[in-house]
PDB file of all heavy atoms in Angstrom:
ATOM      1  N   GLN A  92       6.403  33.477 240.738  1.00  0.00           N
ATOM      2  CA  GLN A  92       6.529  32.332 241.641  1.00  0.00           C
ATOM      3  C   GLN A  92       7.074  32.835 243.045  1.00  0.00           C
ATOM      4  O   GLN A  92       8.120  33.447 243.070  1.00  0.00           O
ATOM      5  CB  GLN A  92       7.469  31.312 241.119  1.00  0.00           C
ATOM      6  CG  GLN A  92       7.499  30.060 241.926  1.00  0.00           C
ATOM      7  CD  GLN A  92       8.369  28.931 241.233  1.00  0.00           C
ATOM      8  OE1 GLN A  92       9.567  29.152 241.314  1.00  0.00           O
ATOM      9  NE2 GLN A  92       7.761  28.075 240.522  1.00  0.00           N
ATOM     10  N   LEU A  93       6.244  32.513 244.057  1.00  0.00           N
ATOM     11  CA  LEU A  93       6.660  32.934 245.531  1.00  0.00           C
ATOM     12  C   LEU A  93       6.922  31.660 246.299  1.00  0.00           C
ATOM     13  O   LEU A  93       5.986  30.774 246.258  1.00  0.00           O
ATOM     14  CB  LEU A  93       5.480  33.767 246.054  1.00  0.00           C
ATOM     15  CG  LEU A  93       5.713  34.404 247.357  1.00  0.00           C
ATOM     16  CD1 LEU A  93       6.765  35.429 247.307  1.00  0.00           C
ATOM     17  CD2 LEU A  93       4.430  34.968 247.936  1.00  0.00           C
ATOM     18  N   THR A  94       8.070  31.504 246.836  1.00  0.00           N
ATOM     19  CA  THR A  94       8.467  30.372 247.581  1.00  0.00           C
ATOM     20  C   THR A  94       8.882  30.684 249.004  1.00  0.00           C
ATOM     21  O   THR A  94       9.658  31.659 249.204  1.00  0.00           O
ATOM     22  CB  THR A  94       9.616  29.536 246.843  1.00  0.00           C
ATOM     23  OG1 THR A  94       9.199  29.262 245.538  1.00  0.00           O
ATOM     24  CG2 THR A  94       9.955  28.278 247.573  1.00  0.00           C
ATOM     25  N   LEU A  95       8.305  30.108 249.986  1.00  0.00           N
ATOM     26  CA  LEU A  95       8.716  30.200 251.383  1.00  0.00           C
ATOM     27  C   LEU A  95       9.171  28.834 251.804  1.00  0.00           C
ATOM     28  O   LEU A  95       8.460  27.801 251.603  1.00  0.00           O
ATOM     29  CB  LEU A  95       7.525  30.644 252.209  1.00  0.00           C
ATOM     30  CG  LEU A  95       7.689  30.951 253.679  1.00  0.00           C
ATOM     31  CD1 LEU A  95       8.771  32.128 253.869  1.00  0.00           C
ATOM     32  CD2 LEU A  95       6.382  31.367 254.315  1.00  0.00           C
ATOM     33  N   SER A  96      10.360  28.825 252.394  1.00  0.00           N
ATOM     34  CA  SER A  96      10.953  27.517 252.769  1.00  0.00           C
ATOM     35  C   SER A  96      11.643  27.596 254.151  1.00  0.00           C
ATOM     36  O   SER A  96      11.954  28.675 254.627  1.00  0.00           O
ATOM     37  CB  SER A  96      11.924  26.957 251.753  1.00  0.00           C
ATOM     38  OG  SER A  96      12.999  27.877 251.585  1.00  0.00           O
ATOM     39  N   GLY A  97      11.874  26.391 254.715  1.00  0.00           N
ATOM     40  CA  GLY A  97      12.567  26.333 256.015  1.00  0.00           C
ATOM     41  C   GLY A  97      11.634  26.576 257.194  1.00  0.00           C
ATOM     42  O   GLY A  97      11.369  27.633 257.593  1.00  0.00           O
ATOM     43  N   GLU A  98      11.102  25.452 257.772  1.00  0.00           N
ATOM     44  CA  GLU A  98      10.275  25.507 258.922  1.00  0.00           C
ATOM     45  C   GLU A  98       9.080  26.616 258.733  1.00  0.00           C
ATOM     46  O   GLU A  98       8.911  27.475 259.487  1.00  0.00           O
ATOM     47  CB  GLU A  98      11.033  25.898 260.145  1.00  0.00           C
ATOM     48  CG  GLU A  98      12.081  24.868 260.551  1.00  0.00           C
ATOM     49  CD  GLU A  98      12.835  25.160 261.790  1.00  0.00           C
ATOM     50  OE1 GLU A  98      12.339  25.853 262.686  1.00  0.00           O
ATOM     51  OE2 GLU A  98      14.041  24.742 261.796  1.00  0.00           O
ATOM     52  N   VAL A  99       8.322  26.347 257.796  1.00  0.00           N
ATOM     53  CA  VAL A  99       7.260  27.248 257.328  1.00  0.00           C
ATOM     54  C   VAL A  99       6.050  27.051 258.205  1.00  0.00           C
ATOM     55  O   VAL A  99       5.661  25.899 258.503  1.00  0.00           O
ATOM     56  CB  VAL A  99       6.921  26.997 255.875  1.00  0.00           C
ATOM     57  CG1 VAL A  99       5.758  27.837 255.469  1.00  0.00           C
ATOM     58  CG2 VAL A  99       8.083  27.292 254.988  1.00  0.00           C
ATOM     59  N   ALA A 100       5.519  28.175 258.601  1.00  0.00           N
ATOM     60  CA  ALA A 100       4.203  28.147 259.321  1.00  0.00           C
ATOM     61  C   ALA A 100       3.310  29.172 258.621  1.00  0.00           C
ATOM     62  O   ALA A 100       3.701  30.314 258.328  1.00  0.00           O
ATOM     63  CB  ALA A 100       4.333  28.597 260.794  1.00  0.00           C
ATOM     64  N   VAL A 101       2.108  28.610 258.239  1.00  0.00           N
ATOM     65  CA  VAL A 101       1.114  29.492 257.527  1.00  0.00           C
ATOM     66  C   VAL A 101      -0.077  29.509 258.419  1.00  0.00           C
ATOM     67  O   VAL A 101      -0.665  28.463 258.687  1.00  0.00           O
ATOM     68  CB  VAL A 101       0.809  28.880 256.092  1.00  0.00           C
ATOM     69  CG1 VAL A 101      -0.355  29.682 255.454  1.00  0.00           C
ATOM     70  CG2 VAL A 101       1.985  28.826 255.233  1.00  0.00           C
ATOM     71  N   TYR A 102      -0.568  30.735 258.741  1.00  0.00           N
ATOM     72  CA  TYR A 102      -1.754  30.868 259.600  1.00  0.00           C
ATOM     73  C   TYR A 102      -2.875  31.494 258.650  1.00  0.00           C
ATOM     74  O   TYR A 102      -2.627  32.631 258.221  1.00  0.00           O
ATOM     75  CB  TYR A 102      -1.471  31.733 260.751  1.00  0.00           C
ATOM     76  CG  TYR A 102      -0.442  31.208 261.758  1.00  0.00           C
ATOM     77  CD1 TYR A 102       0.896  31.356 261.611  1.00  0.00           C
ATOM     78  CD2 TYR A 102      -0.893  30.513 262.882  1.00  0.00           C
ATOM     79  CE1 TYR A 102       1.877  30.860 262.446  1.00  0.00           C
ATOM     80  CE2 TYR A 102      -0.013  30.006 263.802  1.00  0.00           C
ATOM     81  CZ  TYR A 102       1.343  30.168 263.575  1.00  0.00           C
ATOM     82  OH  TYR A 102       2.225  29.650 264.439  1.00  0.00           O
ATOM     83  N   ALA A 103      -3.946  30.746 258.426  1.00  0.00           N
ATOM     84  CA  ALA A 103      -4.896  31.195 257.540  1.00  0.00           C
ATOM     85  C   ALA A 103      -6.291  31.257 258.198  1.00  0.00           C
ATOM     86  O   ALA A 103      -6.682  30.361 258.876  1.00  0.00           O
ATOM     87  CB  ALA A 103      -4.965  30.320 256.281  1.00  0.00           C
ATOM     88  N   THR A 104      -7.043  32.341 257.948  1.00  0.00           N
ATOM     89  CA  THR A 104      -8.423  32.440 258.416  1.00  0.00           C
ATOM     90  C   THR A 104      -9.337  31.691 257.430  1.00  0.00           C
ATOM     91  O   THR A 104     -10.407  31.323 257.855  1.00  0.00           O
ATOM     92  CB  THR A 104      -8.879  33.849 258.659  1.00  0.00           C
ATOM     93  OG1 THR A 104      -8.714  34.622 257.379  1.00  0.00           O
ATOM     94  CG2 THR A 104      -8.034  34.526 259.693  1.00  0.00           C
ATOM     95  N   ARG A 105      -8.830  31.508 256.259  1.00  0.00           N
ATOM     96  CA  ARG A 105      -9.675  30.786 255.243  1.00  0.00           C
ATOM     97  C   ARG A 105      -8.723  30.307 254.137  1.00  0.00           C
ATOM     98  O   ARG A 105      -7.800  31.092 253.751  1.00  0.00           O
ATOM     99  CB  ARG A 105     -10.741  31.762 254.599  1.00  0.00           C
ATOM    100  CG  ARG A 105     -11.662  31.082 253.628  1.00  0.00           C
ATOM    101  CD  ARG A 105     -12.759  32.176 253.255  1.00  0.00           C
ATOM    102  NE  ARG A 105     -13.489  31.703 252.129  1.00  0.00           N
ATOM    103  CZ  ARG A 105     -13.240  32.001 250.857  1.00  0.00           C
ATOM    104  NH1 ARG A 105     -12.202  32.783 250.520  1.00  0.00           N
ATOM    105  NH2 ARG A 105     -14.007  31.549 249.831  1.00  0.00           N
ATOM    106  N   PHE A 106      -8.920  29.121 253.669  1.00  0.00           N
ATOM    107  CA  PHE A 106      -8.105  28.538 252.558  1.00  0.00           C
ATOM    108  C   PHE A 106      -9.046  27.863 251.610  1.00  0.00           C
ATOM    109  O   PHE A 106      -9.842  26.997 252.032  1.00  0.00           O
ATOM    110  CB  PHE A 106      -7.075  27.485 253.163  1.00  0.00           C
ATOM    111  CG  PHE A 106      -6.355  26.821 252.045  1.00  0.00           C
ATOM    112  CD1 PHE A 106      -5.071  27.203 251.725  1.00  0.00           C
ATOM    113  CD2 PHE A 106      -6.859  25.700 251.303  1.00  0.00           C
ATOM    114  CE1 PHE A 106      -4.342  26.541 250.674  1.00  0.00           C
ATOM    115  CE2 PHE A 106      -6.133  25.058 250.328  1.00  0.00           C
ATOM    116  CZ  PHE A 106      -4.892  25.574 249.997  1.00  0.00           C
ATOM    117  N   VAL A 107      -8.987  28.227 250.324  1.00  0.00           N
ATOM    118  CA  VAL A 107      -9.809  27.600 249.276  1.00  0.00           C
ATOM    119  C   VAL A 107      -8.885  27.204 248.115  1.00  0.00           C
ATOM    120  O   VAL A 107      -8.016  27.997 247.673  1.00  0.00           O
ATOM    121  CB  VAL A 107     -10.928  28.580 248.738  1.00  0.00           C
ATOM    122  CG1 VAL A 107     -11.726  27.938 247.655  1.00  0.00           C
ATOM    123  CG2 VAL A 107     -11.839  29.023 249.876  1.00  0.00           C
ATOM    124  N   GLY A 108      -9.012  25.974 247.715  1.00  0.00           N
ATOM    125  CA  GLY A 108      -8.242  25.448 246.647  1.00  0.00           C
ATOM    126  C   GLY A 108      -8.842  24.196 245.977  1.00  0.00           C
ATOM    127  O   GLY A 108      -9.676  23.540 246.687  1.00  0.00           O
ATOM    128  N   ARG A 109      -8.455  23.868 244.801  1.00  0.00           N
ATOM    129  CA  ARG A 109      -8.990  22.689 244.195  1.00  0.00           C
ATOM    130  C   ARG A 109      -7.929  21.652 244.115  1.00  0.00           C
ATOM    131  O   ARG A 109      -6.758  21.923 243.805  1.00  0.00           O
ATOM    132  CB  ARG A 109      -9.537  23.080 242.667  1.00  0.00           C
ATOM    133  CG  ARG A 109     -10.760  23.779 242.660  1.00  0.00           C
ATOM    134  CD  ARG A 109     -11.302  23.857 241.270  1.00  0.00           C
ATOM    135  NE  ARG A 109     -10.386  24.419 240.278  1.00  0.00           N
ATOM    136  CZ  ARG A 109     -10.100  25.704 240.086  1.00  0.00           C
ATOM    137  NH1 ARG A 109     -10.739  26.619 240.816  1.00  0.00           N
ATOM    138  NH2 ARG A 109      -9.247  26.142 239.139  1.00  0.00           N
ATOM    139  N   ILE A 110      -8.308  20.419 244.424  1.00  0.00           N
ATOM    140  CA  ILE A 110      -7.483  19.244 244.293  1.00  0.00           C
ATOM    141  C   ILE A 110      -8.130  18.176 243.686  1.00  0.00           C
ATOM    142  O   ILE A 110      -9.340  17.832 244.152  1.00  0.00           O
ATOM    143  CB  ILE A 110      -6.783  18.906 245.739  1.00  0.00           C
ATOM    144  CG1 ILE A 110      -5.672  17.835 245.605  1.00  0.00           C
ATOM    145  CG2 ILE A 110      -7.863  18.508 246.668  1.00  0.00           C
ATOM    146  CD1 ILE A 110      -4.792  17.694 246.715  1.00  0.00           C
ATOM    147  N   LEU A 111      -7.674  17.579 242.681  1.00  0.00           N
ATOM    148  CA  LEU A 111      -8.342  16.440 241.959  1.00  0.00           C
ATOM    149  C   LEU A 111      -9.768  16.822 241.478  1.00  0.00           C
ATOM    150  O   LEU A 111     -10.690  16.103 241.543  1.00  0.00           O
ATOM    151  CB  LEU A 111      -8.435  15.218 242.844  1.00  0.00           C
ATOM    152  CG  LEU A 111      -7.088  14.666 243.273  1.00  0.00           C
ATOM    153  CD1 LEU A 111      -7.267  13.461 244.256  1.00  0.00           C
ATOM    154  CD2 LEU A 111      -6.185  14.202 242.055  1.00  0.00           C
ATOM    155  N   GLY A 112      -9.869  18.159 241.021  1.00  0.00           N
ATOM    156  CA  GLY A 112     -11.149  18.604 240.549  1.00  0.00           C
ATOM    157  C   GLY A 112     -12.161  18.982 241.626  1.00  0.00           C
ATOM    158  O   GLY A 112     -13.259  19.403 241.280  1.00  0.00           O
ATOM    159  N   VAL A 113     -11.833  18.849 242.884  1.00  0.00           N
ATOM    160  CA  VAL A 113     -12.791  19.126 243.933  1.00  0.00           C
ATOM    161  C   VAL A 113     -12.330  20.352 244.705  1.00  0.00           C
ATOM    162  O   VAL A 113     -11.140  20.548 245.060  1.00  0.00           O
ATOM    163  CB  VAL A 113     -12.871  17.882 244.977  1.00  0.00           C
ATOM    164  CG1 VAL A 113     -13.755  18.257 246.144  1.00  0.00           C
ATOM    165  CG2 VAL A 113     -13.307  16.648 244.254  1.00  0.00           C
ATOM    166  N   THR A 114     -13.210  21.321 244.931  1.00  0.00           N
ATOM    167  CA  THR A 114     -12.928  22.537 245.646  1.00  0.00           C
ATOM    168  C   THR A 114     -12.973  22.229 247.193  1.00  0.00           C
ATOM    169  O   THR A 114     -14.021  21.696 247.640  1.00  0.00           O
ATOM    170  CB  THR A 114     -13.840  23.687 245.349  1.00  0.00           C
ATOM    171  OG1 THR A 114     -13.729  23.983 243.921  1.00  0.00           O
ATOM    172  CG2 THR A 114     -13.534  24.902 246.103  1.00  0.00           C
TER     173      THR A 114
END
Side-chain angles (χ1 to χ4, degrees):
Q92 188 176 79
L93 187 65
T94 303
L95 184 60
S96 58
E98 298 180 29
V99 175
V101 175
Y102 296 85
T104 59
R105 184 172 168 269
F106 177 95
V107 178
R109 287 187 308 278
I110 188 164
L111 301 173
V113 176
T114 300

